[in-house]
Amino acid sequence: MPSTPGKDKYPRFFVWEMLIFTIVVVSAMTLLWLMINPNRDFWLVAAAGIVFTCSLLIVSRLLLDPESVRARQSDAMLRLASQTLDYMKEGITPEAALNICSLLLPSTAAAAIAITDKEKILGYKGLGEEDNPPGTLIHTKATHEVLTDGEMRVLTSAEEIGFTTENSEAQSSKIQAGIVVPLIVGHNVAGVLKFYFTNAKQVNETQVSIAQGFGRLLSTQMAAMSMEEQEKLATSMRLKALQSQINPHFLFNTINTIASLIRTNPDKARTLLREFAVFYRRILEDSSDLILFAREIEQTKRYFAFEVARFGADRVAMKTNIQPEVEEMLIPPFVIQPLVENAVRHAMPSEGLLTIEVDAYIDGEDVIVRISDDGVGMDEEVQQNISSPKSTGGLGIAMRNVRERLLGNFGLGTHMEVESELGVGTTVTLVLKGRAADSI
């Protein structure tokens, strides 16, 4: 079982080091006490002396052992890296940048550490921080050069750093060296990580290695955040495309149905017209990432009422069985209504009643949503086509859109299953992996 934050605070190796140090201190104090005690026992003094000498030798060996030194350094860097990633959960915000600078400063020889984007300082900690608050425009030539060519620079004089403003020129008398590391996302330089020093002699291989390492770490995390944002944007764009491609036949058929009812059943026509206005207003409104499951079911029922008005209650019917806990969970909009619409358009037999059932319930840690019909069904070849991630057919596009948006919002594990038999019907099952907790 993986350890949770807060547990295993110290690796076993370092627990032993702490224990040996404790023995050294205790044996030294015991030896000192015995030496000043007039009634001391020779053998007790000798034993304390042996324990002190042996434990001191062990400590010396541990401190001088290269493996031990590397282990301590690696552990310290891993801890810093872990804390750095914690600060970046929302990206490189000014607050995160300042926290990262504050975290790194005590662990380096630098007098100041800064993080910038392409134009301004995001975070600055250390010497000169009062003159470099977040939002200050970048004012060193070396930083602009790194932002331009994406090459790290090791600077050994204030002149190489290139202070360009009155306030920053005052810093040049204190800051005499620096390391500027580009933060690269994809093929673009998104900012820099800067280490400043008061003496060029402080810039050694260790400091360069630390700067490079954390520069790569920040770049990697920024790239991951960028990919996540791009996926969200793509999901949003797919939703907008779906909204703009509402079946025009459905639109015209519904208008024609309402128009025909104006003469035969004006009260029902008025009700449908109001519902039709609400239906399309919801389509335009539901552009957020997630909506309540109950709202999606309500919109689906509203859609289905138009189909009943068009075809008649003797041709189409829908039943819903939604577990109350599921109604409160959040899902992407337009994941159930398109599947019900698919059933109406493609599964209705030439005569008789088509019944569509929508069931949603919790199964262990998962939420299961099942849309089934007793319509005409489909053969194996059609099933494979609409289930393909590259499907381009009308029925397949709707299925793919729903599948991709569920995956984009809920991640791996969430999937769609399709079962169908000619003359019997079709069942589409959405398995929302691990989403049961969202329903509580």
Side-chain angles (χ1 to χ4, degrees):
M1 180 179 294
S3 60
T4 55
K7 293 184 179 180
D8 300 329
K9 184 176 180 181
Y10 298 104
R12 185 175 300 177
F13 177 81
F14 296 100
V15 171
W16 279 107
E17 276 195 344
M18 294 168 64
L19 179 60
I20 296 297
F21 275 109
T22 302
I23 293 174
V24 170
V25 172
V26 172
S27 60
M29 293 178 64
T30 302
L31 185 61
L32 180 62
W33 181 79
L34 289 172
M35 292 296 292
I36 63 176
N37 190 336
N39 298 320
R40 59 181 175 272
D41 182 272
F42 172 78
W43 294 109
L44 193 56
V45 172
I50 291 172
V51 171
F52 173 73
T53 303
C54 292
S55 56
L56 190 60
L57 288 172
I58 294 173
V59 168
S60 300
R61 174 67 182 274
L62 288 174
L63 291 175
L64 296 175
D65 180 34
E67 290 298 326
S68 175
V69 172
R70 280 194 291 269
R72 280 192 295 272
Q73 291 175 339
S74 298
D75 181 69
M77 290 301 105
L78 286 172
R79 289 175 187 278
L80 283 176
S82 177
Q83 290 176 275
T84 299
L85 294 178
D86 286 340
Y87 286 134
M88 291 183 64
K89 288 180 179 178
E90 302 298 326
I92 294 283
T93 63
E95 181 181 3
L98 184 59
N99 285 332
I100 292 169
C101 292
S102 302
L103 178 69
L104 296 181
L105 186 61
S107 301
T108 71
I113 293 181
I115 295 175
T116 79
D117 60 16
K118 298 187 71 171
E119 298 178 352
K120 59 185 180 298
I121 295 172
L122 296 177
Y124 189 109
K125 192 68 177 178
L127 183 63
E129 64 181 275
E130 63 279 357
D131 296 322
N132 297 278
T136 303
L137 293 177
I138 296 169
H139 47 237
T140 58
K141 292 180 181 178
T143 301
H144 285 293
E145 290 171 355
V146 173
L147 287 169
T148 300
D149 61 24
E151 297 293 330
M152 183 185 77
R153 280 170 171 73
V154 179
L155 314 162
T156 56
S157 69
E159 289 72 23
E160 289 184 21
I161 296 173
F163 295 101
T164 58
T165 66
E166 183 177 342
N167 285 341
S168 59
E169 284 175 2
Q171 289 181 253
S172 65
S173 61
K174 301 175 183 177
I175 294 177
Q176 295 295 316
I179 304 169
V180 185
V181 180
L183 303 178
I184 299 176
V185 178
H187 298 290
N188 301 313
V189 181
V192 300
L193 170 65
K194 301 192 284 188
F195 284 26
Y196 284 139
F197 303 87
T198 56
N199 192 318
K201 294 181 180 179
Q202 295 172 310
V203 182
N204 53 38
E205 290 185 9
T206 299
Q207 298 302 308
V208 172
S209 178
I210 292 174
Q212 280 183 312
F214 278 97
R216 292 193 190 100
L217 178 69
L218 296 181
S219 296
T220 301
Q221 184 66 4
M222 290 169 68
M225 297 289 292
S226 177
M227 289 179 64
E228 186 175 332
E229 287 300 318
Q230 289 175 15
E231 177 59 31
K232 287 182 179 179
L233 179 60
T235 298
S236 176
M237 292 301 292
R238 286 194 292 269
L239 174 57
K240 291 184 183 298
L242 179 65
Q243 290 174 312
S244 66
Q245 293 172 5
I246 295 296
N247 186 355
H249 296 294
F250 166 70
L251 173 63
F252 295 132
N253 289 333
T254 302
I255 292 174
N256 288 334
T257 300
I258 294 173
S260 66
L261 286 171
I262 289 175
R263 295 180 181 177
T264 60
N265 194 338
D267 288 339
K268 187 174 182 179
R270 280 194 294 271
T271 300
L272 284 177
L273 190 59
R274 283 196 299 268
E275 287 296 294
F276 194 60
V278 173
F279 178 78
Y280 267 90
R281 185 165 63 247
R282 287 289 174 86
I283 287 176
L284 297 176
E285 290 174 349
D286 287 344
S287 58
S288 58
D289 288 338
L290 300 171
I291 62 171
L292 284 174
F293 193 98
R295 183 181 175 107
E296 175 71 3
I297 290 295
E298 179 187 352
Q299 183 74 340
T300 301
K301 289 180 177 178
R302 189 172 284 115
Y303 153 78
F304 199 78
F306 306 136
E307 299 292 33
V308 172
R310 176 188 172 195
F311 293 107
D314 59 335
R315 291 287 283 133
V316 289
M318 184 174 73
K319 302 176 183 178
T320 60
N321 182 23
I322 313 299
Q323 193 170 322
E325 292 83 358
V326 177
E327 291 185 342
E328 299 302 315
M329 78 173 290
L330 296 173
I331 62 170
F334 304 108
V335 295
I336 298 176
Q337 186 261 325
L339 299 179
V340 171
E341 184 175 353
N342 267 353
V344 173
R345 292 178 61 193
H346 300 283
M348 186 181 294
S350 57
E351 57 182 30
L353 177 67
L354 170 71
T355 302
I356 300 170
E357 295 188 24
V358 180
D359 300 290
Y361 56 91
I362 295 173
D363 182 16
E365 296 182 352
D366 306 332
V367 173
I368 307 297
V369 182
R370 184 169 286 117
I371 299 94
S372 58
D373 66 69
D374 56 1
V376 298
M378 64 186 85
D379 58 29
E380 185 67 28
E381 183 179 351
V382 175
Q383 285 187 59
Q384 291 180 354
N385 180 53
I386 67 171
S387 299
S388 170
K390 298 181 180 180
S391 178
T392 57
L395 179 60
I397 288 176
M399 303 280 278
R400 186 181 69 184
N401 193 293
V402 171
R403 184 191 303 110
E404 289 180 353
R405 287 189 297 113
L406 285 173
L407 190 62
N409 280 278
F410 296 148
L412 296 175
T414 290
H415 62 280
M416 175 188 293
E417 300 171 357
V418 180
E419 297 178 8
S420 187
E421 184 177 345
L422 283 173
V424 177
T426 301
T427 298
V428 178
T429 303
L430 308 178
V431 180
L432 311 183
K433 203 72 176 174
R435 309 313 298 185
D438 297 345
S439 308
I440 298 175

